[in-house]
Every structure is written in structure tokens, then in C-alpha cells.
Amino acid sequence: MPKPRVAVLLAAHWPGPELEQQLQTILGQLRVDVRLYVGHDTGPASKTSTAGTEGSAHETALRQRLALPSVRLVYHEAIGCAAQNFFRLIRSVDFSRYDWVALSDQDDLWHPDKLQRAIQVLTAQPEAQGYSANVSTFRGHPDQSAYHTHPVPGADSVSPELANTIVKSQPQRRYDHFFEAAGPGCTYVISRRLALALQAWLVEQPDDRLSTVRRHDWLIYAWARTQGYGWQIDPRVVLDYRQHGRNVVGAHLGWSASMARLQQVRQGWFRSQVLAVAQLVDPQGPVVRGLESGSRWRRLVLGWQGRRRLRDRLALCAFVLVGWV
């Protein structure tokens, strides 16, 4: 029986020394036939980037990988941000030859059965065309990562041994796809059917509209749900999510991260992103009407259905009451 064919899309931006490890864990996936497509954003590096030192050395390692038939550099040019890099990749790659499509960051460690697990879950749930999962976090050397392979015991509580786990597998809500992603985008695996439909839709979208969205994983999940595609969020941890100064989003762990997110909400960034996503995927829908209306009650209803975790729902409703959403 032939192995499932998987196209993995990796959005790179001045990759650091972690890139080689990420590539090894992708190309070493078990029981699948992987083809890796890389989009390298050569735009301005962040202040914490190692571009020009370690970054250039590991870019050379990436180019050496291109000698393999399983890796292809799709483009090497300035893009702007990770979200736009992924949108460009999705628009560019021919998915018709693949059974599944996965997304990847440039610095994580995939568990060897990550893709196999996603395919098993989606195959067992025919109504689901999209998949995401929980992740564990670590900093620094790979020896500091933990390869958890068992489900998280609860949606709103994490056992001590899984204290470094980002839990995103709480039950889905009516409008959660408008207010958050389905988990880290690096865990996403989607069917060919969903990938081709998403690709056709993205091709039709003007660049200036897509440029308002800063989170590709959020938009992909929102579009899939509004189009009626089922989505399965796996309680199992499938990769180790590296935390460092070059993270675009990161895990939002700790007091300082919480304060930074609170400041974003207070300044209107969160509301603007909810509206940007909703106006793209469901411009006449209840979320756009509710947020643009003067009714606080309608926004409270949206808030209560807008996040999967109870604590986040309560916080979202509080933000509505103080006028931040």
C-alpha cells in the first residue's frame, strides 16, 4: 500500500541555528511520503535575528538540502510577515498530487509520528478536513524538550507533568473560529479537498485585504469552519514548540506575556484582527454585524461563544464590558 503523500509548507525568515533540526524532524516522519516546500522571506530581519551570522550559515544548509528531491525552495524574496509568507506558499504550490497538506515553522521539533497521527485522526473522522493539536514548549537545546505522547487529561486543567503544554483542544464553540486559531499553525494538517478549496479562495483575495490579517492559522481555521468543513483539535501533543527571541507569536506564557496581550486588546489590535478575519470569511455574518453594532449585549453573546477555554471566555466578556472589544 503506498504511503500517504504530504506537502509540507515551511515559511522561513532568516532562519537561525534551529532550522537544521526542524528539517530533520520533518524529513524523518514515519510512514508518510513528505515533500517540503520552503518560502524564504528575505525582508528586514528582527532585532533578535541572527541574520548575517548564524542565519546565513543555516540558510546555506537549507540550500544544500535543496539537492534532495524531497525539498524545494519556492521563492527567495521579501514578503513582509509570516502570515503573508504562508498565504503565498498556499497560492503557489500544486496540491493536486498530494493527499494532505501540513504547515511548519522553521524552529520546532516534530515528533516522529506527527503526520501519521494527524492522518489517522482525520481518516477516523470523515467529516473533519482540518486538524490541529496541542504542543509542549521548551527553550534552548533540544535536550530540554519533552516528547509527550499521551492526551492532556483535562481541557481547563493541566497535570504537573504537562505544565509546559499549550492546551488548545477544549471543545469548539459556535464562534471560536472568529476569535482564535485552532492551535499553533505548525500543527495544522488539512486534506487535499480543503487545501484546493482554500487555495482557490486565497487566489481570489486582493493582497491589500489579506495584508490586514496577521495570523494565517486564525484565518485558515475561520475560513474552513465558515465553509462547513469539520475540524478536529487533537488533545495529544505532537511537537515541541521552541521559545526564543525570534518567535513571531510564541506561546504567551508567563506574566509579562499576559500583560503584553492585555495591552494589545486595550489598544484595539485584537478587535481589529477579529474584524479583519470576519470581514474576509463572512462579511455579512453575525460577528461583523455584532462588532459593528452599538449593542453591548450582542457583543457579550459573541464573546461567550468566541473562545474555547472558559477563562478566555470570561476575559473576552470582560473586555466587552469595558469597551475594548
Side-chain angles (χ1 to χ4, degrees):
M1 184 175 180
K3 295 179 180 179
R5 292 173 57 84
V6 185
V8 178
L9 311 183
L10 189 155
H13 179 236
W14 294 114
E18 309 87 3
L19 174 64
E20 188 68 16
Q21 298 162 351
Q22 170 75 92
L23 293 176
Q24 290 173 1
T25 64
I26 293 173
L27 298 178
Q29 288 292 294
L30 301 174
R31 299 182 179 87
V32 292
D33 182 5
V34 170
R35 294 294 183 272
L36 178 62
Y37 294 89
V38 179
H40 185 208
D41 179 4
T42 61
S46 66
K47 293 180 180 179
T48 55
S49 174
T50 55
T53 54
E54 293 98 332
S56 60
H58 287 273
E59 183 182 342
T60 300
L62 172 61
R63 287 188 173 278
Q64 292 173 347
R65 283 279 187 175
L66 298 182
L68 297 175
S70 55
V71 184
R72 177 189 168 195
L73 180 64
V74 182
Y75 48 81
H76 177 77
E77 60 188 69
I79 301 297
C81 70
Q84 302 308 312
N85 200 350
F86 275 111
F87 296 153
R88 172 75 177 275
L89 276 170
I90 294 170
R91 286 167 154 179
S92 302
V93 176
D94 179 8
F95 298 139
S96 63
R97 298 181 294 136
Y98 298 98
D99 303 303
W100 310 94
V101 176
L103 306 185
S104 174
D105 290 344
Q106 65 183 20
D107 49 22
D108 301 322
L109 298 176
W110 286 18
H111 295 189
D113 64 344
K114 174 187 181 295
L115 294 177
Q116 180 188 13
R117 168 69 180 179
I119 293 169
Q120 288 174 341
V121 169
L122 289 172
T123 303
Q125 303 285 339
E127 71 280 1
Q129 301 291 316
Y131 168 96
S132 55
N134 296 330
V135 300
S136 63
T137 65
F138 75 103
R139 291 183 179 274
H141 195 273
D143 290 344
Q144 297 173 352
S145 68
Y147 280 66
H148 303 301
T149 58
H150 50 283
V152 175
D156 286 307
S157 63
V158 179
S159 60
E161 67 271 17
L162 293 179
N164 64 335
T165 297
I166 304 175
V167 181
K168 295 294 184 178
S169 55
Q170 300 91 350
Q172 291 161 295
R173 306 286 289 185
R174 184 176 182 181
Y175 298 125
D176 72 277
H177 50 292
F178 289 106
F179 291 86
E180 62 179 329
C186 49
T187 68
Y188 280 26
V189 177
I190 61 178
S191 68
R192 174 173 56 196
R193 174 187 165 196
L194 174 52
L196 289 171
L198 174 65
Q199 182 181 63
W201 178 75
L202 283 175
V203 167
E204 294 176 350
Q205 304 310 306
D207 289 340
D208 60 342
R209 295 194 67 197
L210 284 178
S211 66
T212 62
V213 175
R214 309 301 294 180
R215 293 284 305 277
H216 61 283
D217 45 7
W218 190 347
L219 181 64
I220 291 170
Y221 178 52
W223 184 84
R225 285 279 304 274
T226 56
Q227 295 300 307
Y229 292 100
W231 197 286
Q232 187 72 25
I233 307 178
D234 193 354
R236 179 176 292 188
V237 169
V238 299
L239 64 81
D240 296 339
Y241 195 49
R242 193 188 304 263
Q243 299 298 291
H244 53 69
R246 294 185 299 278
N247 284 113
V248 174
V249 177
H252 299 304
L253 299 176
W255 177 255
S256 61
S258 296
M259 290 299 97
R261 294 179 72 190
L262 182 64
Q263 186 69 7
Q264 281 187 325
V265 175
R266 185 176 182 180
Q267 293 175 346
W269 181 90
F270 178 74
R271 183 180 187 277
S272 71
Q273 284 301 289
V274 173
L275 267 176
V277 169
Q279 287 169 343
L280 273 167
V281 305
D282 191 20
Q284 305 301 321
V287 173
V288 173
R289 295 198 306 268
L291 290 181
E292 291 183 342
S293 75
S295 171
R296 185 167 295 176
W297 171 250
R298 291 177 68 178
R299 283 178 283 143
L300 279 172
V301 171
L302 292 175
W304 187 245
Q305 292 292 336
R307 299 286 293 220
R308 294 185 297 276
R309 187 169 62 170
L310 175 59
R311 185 174 70 189
D312 293 340
R313 292 199 296 276
L314 293 173
L316 185 52
C317 290
F319 297 152
V320 169
L321 290 174
V322 297
W324 295 351
V325 176

